[in-house]
Each structure stands twice: as structure tokens, then as C-alpha cells.
């Protein structure tokens, strides 16, 4: 509703600015000149409320073609120009919240350390075998679990 009031306020200012006074070259008095106003009306009339013939609405206003076009242009400007542009900058400069870069950097540091010390790249006993409890062969056979090596 505030957009509609703002739009009508703009129309009133434009109608005041566009008022013209035709001036003749003769020595006429001020009362002899004619003041013309544009066809823009500031009050709501029946002509403004009824849609024009062969007008297809953009879906923003079914009453006023001018308001419909104004809101369409405004929403597309905001949607495309501002949201896509600013949204792109937000996505580009967003911090690494999943810590993907940190994991990769730590991996390279650990790889360099292991190469310097002459260790294999991946340790066979990464987890201490004494801490790992595996089921025995009898337990696996009793449950009919297929072992693929």
C-alpha cells in the first residue's frame, strides 16, 4: 500500500512540474494567457481504475496498468540487479564454514612432515591394533557372513 501512495505522490509532483503557460508575443495581460495541465489526474477516477483495452497484466496489479508496470520493473530491478549481484559477492567472499581448505592444508603439511622423516605416506597402523576388537572366525561362521578379502 505504501508503494501505491508513493507512486501517486510522484504523479502529483510530476503533474505540478509539467504545468505549462502558453505565452504569446503580443502585449497581452496575464489573464489573457492560457494555462494548460497535462492529462495526468491526481484523483482516482473511473478511467484509472478500469484496465485499458487489450492490456495483459504482469500479475502485480489488476487495477492500474501504470502501477502494474512500475511494480514489475521495480521487482525485476531488485531481483536481478541487486540480489544476483550482491548475492554473488556474498557467495564469493563467504568464509569457509565447512573448513575444506583447512583440511586440505593440514593434509599437505602432514604429507611433507612424513616425507621429511622418511615415513610412508599412510601408516599401516593408523589405529592401534590392540584397540580394535574384531569378531572371531567362529562368530562370523555362525552368522553366515561372507568375508571378502
Amino acid at each position: 500500500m505504501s508503494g501505491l501512495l508513493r507512486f501517486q505522490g510522484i504523479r502529483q509532483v510530476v503533474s505540478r512540474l509539467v504545468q505549462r503557460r502558453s505565452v504569446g508575443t503580443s502585449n497581452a495581460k496575464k489573464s489573457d494567457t492560457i494555462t494548460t495541465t497535462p492529462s495526468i489526474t491526481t484523483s482516482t477516477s473511473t478511467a484509472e481504475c478500469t484496465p485499458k483495452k487489450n492490456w495483459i497484466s504482469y500479475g502485480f496489479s489488476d487495477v492500474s496498468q501504470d502501477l502494474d508496470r512500475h511494480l514489475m520493473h521495480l521487482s525485476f530491478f531488485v531481483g536481478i540487479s541487486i540480489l544476483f549481484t550482491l548475492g554473488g559477492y556474498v557467495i564469493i567472499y563467504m568464509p569457509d564454514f565447512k573448513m575444506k581448505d583447512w583440511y586440505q592444508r593440514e593434509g599437505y603439511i602432514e604429507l611433507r612432515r612424513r616425507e621429511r622423516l622418511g615415513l610412508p605416506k599412510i601408516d599401516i597402523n593408523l589405529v592401534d591394533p590392540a584397540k580394535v576388537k574384531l569378531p572371531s572366525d567362529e562368530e562370523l561362521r555362525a552368522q553366515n557372513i561372507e568375508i571378502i578379502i
Side-chain angles (χ1 to χ4, degrees):
M1 190 67 179
S2 65
L4 178 63
L5 294 174
R6 197 173 327 128
F7 182 69
Q8 287 180 352
I10 291 171
R11 287 181 61 160
Q12 289 174 357
V13 170
V14 168
S15 67
R16 288 180 191 153
L17 292 175
V18 179
Q19 255 186 356
R20 296 181 187 148
R21 188 174 282 270
S22 59
V23 179
T25 56
S26 65
N27 294 333
K29 298 177 187 173
K30 187 175 181 179
S31 62
D32 291 342
T33 59
I34 301 170
T35 304
T36 59
T37 57
S39 63
I40 299 173
T41 58
T42 57
S43 64
T44 309
S45 64
T46 57
E48 187 179 335
C49 291
T50 59
K52 293 181 182 178
K53 190 175 183 181
N54 297 331
W55 166 56
I56 298 173
S57 173
Y58 291 108
F60 295 96
S61 174
D62 293 333
V63 178
S64 171
Q65 183 179 7
D66 295 332
L67 180 63
D68 185 44
R69 183 169 289 162
H70 173 72
L71 290 176
M72 184 267 303
H73 286 295
L74 180 70
S75 65
F76 279 109
F77 171 75
V78 169
I80 293 172
S81 300
I82 295 176
L83 291 180
F84 281 165
T85 305
L86 293 179
Y89 280 112
V90 167
I91 289 171
I92 289 170
Y93 292 109
M94 188 184 320
D96 185 23
F97 63 92
K98 291 185 178 179
M99 304 284 281
K100 185 174 132 185
D101 294 336
W102 180 83
Y103 292 136
Q104 186 176 12
R105 188 173 52 244
E106 287 293 318
Y108 282 124
I109 291 171
E110 180 65 19
L111 188 62
R112 265 190 244 129
R113 184 187 71 81
R114 291 175 94 42
E115 285 175 351
R116 238 183 298 131
L117 295 174
L119 298 170
K121 293 180 181 178
I122 299 174
D123 190 14
I124 294 173
N125 295 323
L126 183 63
V127 178
D128 187 18
K131 293 182 179 180
V132 177
K133 183 181 178 200
L134 295 174
S136 66
D137 291 336
E138 293 82 24
E139 292 174 354
L140 292 174
R141 285 189 193 116
Q143 296 176 0
N144 289 334
I145 297 175
E146 183 180 351
I147 301 172
I148 301 172
I149 299 178

